[in-house]
Amino acid sequence: MRKKIVAGNWKMNKNLEEGHQLTSEVVNMVKDEVTSAVQVVLCTPFIHLNSISKLLAGSKNVMLGAQNCSEHASGAYTGETSVSMLKSVGTQFVIIGHSERREYFGETDALFAKKVDAVLAAGMTPIYCCGEKLEVREANNHIKLVTAQVSEALFHLSAEALQKVVIAYEPVWAIGTGKTASSAQAQEMHAEIRAHLAGKYGKNVAEEITIQYGGSVKPDNAVEIFAQPDVDGGLIGGASLKSRDFVDIVKAMK
């Protein structure tokens, strides 16, 4: 059985006090209300990781994630954060390849492959993001693009290593826009990604990979999206900044 994982990507939001408050609210709500075996991950800005790790110490199913990392182990890389630094403060997951890293910072799949390797070598779980812009989907090239993103960043891995990776499909046209892929569109792409993995690694390996959906998931659409057979959770942006909305989304993952 592949893991069901709902992760919140806070992006560049919440100061230290606000982050502590949000974390405390989420942890208490999850403890009181979530009865399924879903894993919850809070992917916070770097300033929060150390202190929030301590807040999560007693929580069984709320885990800590970072939003990025360096591909380098150490050295003269001003402003960067290494995987060993992340691990030293209790980080368990790291988002790699988010569309905002591609768009605003010019990061590439070749770079993401190195970052995935670094995260895995540190014993943490990469959440590898892939997804297309609106013009790519309208040209009907979305499957070609997304499967190429998966190949270029992940297909150098062994089957054993791949099974430690979480994939997040995020249609770029639905991130922060209020637009959401229909449940059928989400299922189509998740199934295509899984079939692409199966073509390289075999069906048994592909069936073990957690594939999340991200893109304007809200409490009122989460149940339908998460009910799709190849959707194994979500990478949640804006709604993760409100504890009530985020936990209601978590509860939609059965």
Side-chain angles (χ1 to χ4, degrees):
M1 290 291 292
R2 53 187 182 258
K3 294 178 180 178
K4 307 292 186 180
I5 302 173
V6 176
N9 178 13
W10 293 5
K11 305 189 180 183
M12 195 174 71
N13 293 289
K14 301 296 182 183
N15 64 29
L16 198 62
E17 182 179 352
E18 292 167 341
H20 286 189
Q21 180 177 347
L22 177 56
T23 300
S24 296
E25 291 172 0
V26 169
V27 167
N28 288 329
M29 288 180 181
V30 168
K31 180 181 177 181
D32 293 342
E33 302 177 26
V34 176
T35 57
S36 62
V38 60
Q39 288 186 350
V40 179
V41 184
L42 302 181
C43 297
T44 78
F46 290 133
I47 68 157
H48 294 291
L49 293 172
N50 188 41
S51 55
I52 287 181
S53 177
K54 295 178 174 65
L55 292 177
L56 298 181
S59 179
K60 293 181 179 179
N61 56 345
V62 183
M63 301 179 180
L64 184 64
Q67 297 174 13
N68 188 29
C69 70
S70 174
E71 73 276 24
H72 300 291
S74 63
Y77 302 101
T78 301
E80 292 290 276
T81 304
S82 71
V83 293
S84 63
M85 293 174 180
L86 296 179
K87 188 167 185 177
S88 73
V89 294
T91 307
Q92 296 153 292
F93 291 77
V94 184
I95 297 173
I96 302 294
H98 193 278
S99 64
E100 290 156 5
R101 300 303 307 180
R102 299 174 187 268
E103 180 74 13
Y104 305 145
F105 302 97
E107 296 188 356
T108 65
D109 288 314
L111 175 60
F112 300 144
K114 295 177 181 179
K115 292 188 176 188
V116 166
D117 288 347
V119 173
L120 289 172
M124 298 184 291
T125 300
I127 300 176
Y128 174 67
C129 300
C130 54
E132 80 283 359
K133 294 183 178 180
L134 184 59
E135 58 266 27
V136 175
R137 176 167 280 271
E138 289 178 339
N140 202 34
N141 289 325
H142 51 294
I143 293 172
K144 180 180 179 181
L145 175 75
V146 171
T147 53
Q149 290 173 337
V150 170
S151 295
E152 290 169 21
L154 301 180
F155 274 16
H156 65 289
L157 297 173
S158 67
E160 181 182 7
L162 182 75
Q163 291 178 83
K164 299 175 182 177
V165 175
V166 172
I167 296 174
Y169 166 63
E170 296 194 303
V172 180
W173 48 271
I175 299 176
T177 63
K179 296 180 180 179
T180 310
S182 68
S183 57
Q185 287 173 318
Q187 168 57 24
E188 175 198 37
M189 186 57 84
H190 282 235
E192 289 286 351
I193 292 170
R194 203 175 303 282
H196 188 57
L197 296 173
K200 170 73 172 178
Y201 294 96
K203 184 177 180 180
N204 289 342
V205 171
E207 286 297 324
E208 293 297 315
I209 306 299
T210 296
I211 307 177
Q212 301 174 308
Y213 172 77
S216 295
V217 178
K218 298 177 176 62
D220 60 1
N221 62 27
V223 171
E224 182 179 355
I225 292 171
F226 290 169
Q228 303 307 306
D230 285 293
V231 177
D232 307 313
L235 181 58
I236 314 303
S240 71
L241 300 174
K242 299 179 180 179
S243 56
R244 180 70 275 160
D245 286 355
F246 183 59
V247 174
D248 282 347
I249 291 170
V250 171
K251 289 162 66 177
M253 185 75 255
K254 305 300 183 182

